Amino acid sequence: MSISVNGNAVQVPDDPRVSLLDLLRDGLHLHGTKKGCNQGACGACTVLVDGERILSCLSLAVQFDGRSITTIEGLGEPGALHPLQQAFVEHDGFQCGYCTPGQICSAVAMVEEVRRGVPSHVTSDLNANVITLNHDELRERMSGNLCRCGAYNGIVDAINETLKEAAE
């Protein structure tokens, strides 16, 4: 059994109890994905599986045989940051930075959800072909990612700027 992590084939651990988070951090030394609460409440461990956001602390590595995992390290690199990574820097969307990798991975997936027309709890028209990512919609969609430093305004500004640039 193997999974792709940031484009590299990785053997799934023999122990079926290993979480995806522990495989990433302890097995592959990808320390960008953070272990926050280890209960799925904070979003610090958010990664992308085939483009969908998941909480890696609540997922077993064996669940992802044949699938593609993208961590914060797989989104960009020094000198060639992902547009959301760059926007977080420019808008001071972090203070201590602990939640930032999960916030960015979640935002990348959220943008794709909106483009596909996936409604949220606050979407007013569930039959709409286009969902407007207004203030309330964005905050609702990012509500699973907590920031203890309170950098939410910078996070929202970074996401809004990235969406505006992508639409142009």
Side-chain angles (χ1 to χ4, degrees):
M1 292 177 63
S2 72
I3 56 179
S4 171
V5 177
N6 298 331
N8 299 310
V10 172
Q11 196 66 27
V12 175
D14 291 332
D15 185 347
R17 299 170 296 171
V18 174
S19 72
L20 179 58
L21 175 60
D22 288 340
L23 170 65
L24 296 172
R25 291 185 57 79
D26 301 335
L28 302 177
H29 307 289
L30 295 171
H31 299 286
T33 304
K34 302 297 191 242
K35 185 178 277 193
C37 66
N38 210 27
Q39 297 177 343
C42 72
C45 67
T46 303
V47 297
L48 306 174
V49 177
D50 298 329
E52 301 280 330
R53 54 186 161 168
I54 62 126
L55 300 171
S56 62
C57 73
L58 296 180
S59 306
L60 298 174
V62 297
Q63 293 176 264
F64 302 103
D65 180 36
R67 305 210 36 211
S68 178
I69 311 295
T70 304
T71 67
I72 191 70
E73 293 91 345
L75 287 178
E77 53 190 57
L81 297 177
H82 183 280
L84 268 167
Q85 290 172 313
Q86 186 62 44
F88 266 65
V89 172
E90 292 170 3
H91 288 276
D92 199 23
F94 55 89
Q95 285 181 27
C96 79
Y98 198 83
C99 72
T100 305
Q103 296 273 1
I104 291 172
C105 285
S106 189
V108 167
M110 177 205 60
V111 168
E112 291 307 312
E113 291 167 4
V114 170
R115 286 187 180 141
R116 289 192 324 267
V118 177
S120 78
H121 178 69
V122 299
T123 303
S124 59
D125 182 0
L126 299 180
N127 296 315
N129 292 329
V130 176
I131 296 174
T132 303
L133 197 59
N134 60 28
H135 178 82
D136 291 338
E137 188 79 38
L138 192 152
R139 287 185 180 266
E140 169 64 24
R141 289 174 183 270
M142 292 297 294
S143 65
N145 292 81
L146 303 179
C147 174
R148 291 186 176 144
C149 298
Y152 294 112
N153 290 333
I155 291 167
V156 168
D157 290 346
I159 294 169
N160 278 328
E161 177 184 297
T162 304
L163 288 173
K164 184 173 69 175
E165 288 176 3
E168 295 173 350

